[in-house]
Amino acid sequence: MPFSAALKVNVLTVGDAAAQLKSGSLPSRALAITFDDGYADNLEVALPVFRRFNAPLTVYLTTGFLDRSIFYWWGGLEDLVMKVDSV
């Protein structure tokens, strides 16, 4: 049984959800699943699970990470913490 049937939800793409909301035809218990930032685990972990259940997902990429115009501060913080004995 697909997870959408087991959970009694209508899993939609973001585009379909927006269009149906605009037209007033959004089904009850509608669900659109999104991931933010576009981390590698979205591709390596989430996508195979969603494919297995034939469910749509949307990944929003933070393009600033791709072109390095945004500083990956939590990675820098982790590097700093790992280099010192106390914080």
Side-chain angles (χ1 to χ4, degrees):
M1 172 183 309
F3 79 93
S4 57
L7 296 176
K8 298 180 181 153
V9 296
N10 294 295
V11 184
L12 306 170
T13 66
V14 169
D16 287 344
Q20 290 179 22
L21 182 62
K22 185 176 180 180
S23 71
S25 62
L26 188 68
S28 64
R29 299 183 55 90
L31 174 68
I33 301 170
T34 66
F35 292 86
D36 292 339
D37 303 324
Y39 292 112
D41 62 353
N42 298 156
L43 175 67
E44 297 164 357
V45 179
L47 183 59
V49 172
F50 278 74
R51 281 186 173 157
R52 178 176 165 211
F53 290 101
N54 195 29
L57 75 148
T58 300
V59 177
Y60 290 101
L61 298 178
T62 303
T63 57
F65 293 139
L66 300 175
D67 65 14
R68 303 195 186 274
S69 63
I70 295 177
F71 177 60
Y72 178 57
W73 65 267
W74 52 97
L77 179 61
E78 180 182 6
D79 290 344
L80 178 64
V81 169
M82 297 305 286
K83 291 177 183 175
V84 297
D85 293 330
S86 62
V87 179

